[in-house]
């Protein structure tokens, strides 16, 4: 059933489709998308735990998960892309974030925007020819349906069988 079934947890998969927009409207091809990609790498790489929030329901069960996130997150996968909008010329990016976990997970939108802006500006100042961002990027986060429902059902059924046979 999984490592946390005994304490009333179930395995979940959270899928987030995230769009971040630099609000830089230009068709100037000299605007280098590497600053955006660098910011994406920061947000969804080693600093990913900085944008995750655990909870909010049942603080007695999930409240301390943020102290040891690696214990409750089984796997993180991310796919990213950077593009220039065909109408406005705005340089923006998308990320599809999949997290298999034994907790309650949310994306902290303000933390994501702040980290993205900071990483973008660091890349811009490192010579990628970008104008620094003054405002936070526009951000849209959409929670998608779970895609590995078969695995989740198998864990659920295993928990049920174990409960009956115990």
């Amino acid at each position: 059933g999984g490592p946390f079934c005994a304490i009333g947890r179930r395995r979940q998969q959270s899928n987030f489709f995230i769009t971040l927009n630099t609000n830089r409207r230009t068709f100037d091809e000299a605007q280098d998308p590497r600053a955006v990609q660098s910011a994406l790498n920061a947000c969804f790489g080693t600093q990913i735990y900085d944008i995750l929030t655990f909870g909010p329901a049942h603080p007695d069960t999930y409240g301390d998960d943020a102290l040891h996130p690696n214990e409750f997150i089984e796997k993180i996968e991310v796919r990213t892309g950077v593009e220039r909008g065909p109408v406005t010329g705005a340089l923006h990016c998308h990320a599809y974030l999949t997290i298999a976990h034994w907790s309650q997970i949310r994306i902290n939108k303000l933390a994501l925007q702040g980290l993205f802006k900071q990483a973008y500006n660091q890349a811009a100042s490192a010579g990628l020819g970008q104008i620094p961002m003054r405002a936070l990027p526009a951000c849209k986060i959409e929670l998608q349906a779970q895609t590995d429902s078969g695995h989740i059902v198998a864990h659920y059924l295993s928990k049920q069988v174990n409960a009956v046979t115990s």
Side-chain angles (χ1 to χ4, degrees):
F4 299 106
C5 287
I7 59 172
R9 295 181 184 226
R10 64 183 175 92
R11 183 182 187 277
Q12 301 179 72
Q13 182 189 61
S14 298
N15 298 301
F16 301 94
F17 183 68
I18 302 165
T19 302
L20 290 154
N21 191 326
T22 64
N23 296 314
R24 302 274 179 235
R25 287 166 173 66
T26 177
F27 287 99
D28 182 3
E29 292 301 319
Q31 186 182 27
D32 195 330
R34 291 180 296 172
V36 175
Q37 188 62 55
S38 179
L40 277 174
N41 293 346
C43 292
F44 300 109
T46 57
Q47 293 181 279
I48 192 160
Y49 293 117
D50 294 343
I51 66 167
L52 297 180
T53 300
F54 294 84
H58 312 291
D60 53 321
T61 302
Y62 301 105
D64 292 335
D65 289 7
L67 301 175
H68 309 284
N70 288 328
E71 292 181 22
F72 302 101
I73 294 180
E74 184 177 299
K75 184 178 181 182
I76 297 175
E77 294 178 349
V78 64
R79 295 187 302 267
T80 62
V82 179
E83 65 181 338
R84 187 181 317 280
V87 176
T88 64
L91 201 55
H92 63 280
C93 56
H94 303 283
Y96 192 80
L97 178 63
T98 300
I99 305 173
H101 58 92
W102 296 85
S103 187
Q104 292 179 333
I105 302 272
R106 292 180 298 142
I107 303 291
N108 181 326
K109 182 177 177 179
L110 190 57
L112 173 59
Q113 289 172 297
L115 180 58
F116 185 88
K117 178 184 172 187
Q118 177 186 18
Y120 178 92
N121 286 343
Q122 284 176 346
S125 68
L128 294 181
Q130 300 294 317
I131 300 168
M133 293 178 70
R134 287 176 180 69
L136 293 175
C139 180
K140 183 177 181 182
I141 302 171
E142 299 174 37
L143 182 62
Q144 305 289 303
Q146 297 190 46
T147 55
D148 85 349
S149 58
H151 188 78
I152 291 166
V153 169
H155 274 284
Y156 182 79
L157 292 174
S158 172
K159 180 179 83 169
Q160 293 302 310
V161 170
N162 289 340
V164 170
T165 59
S166 297

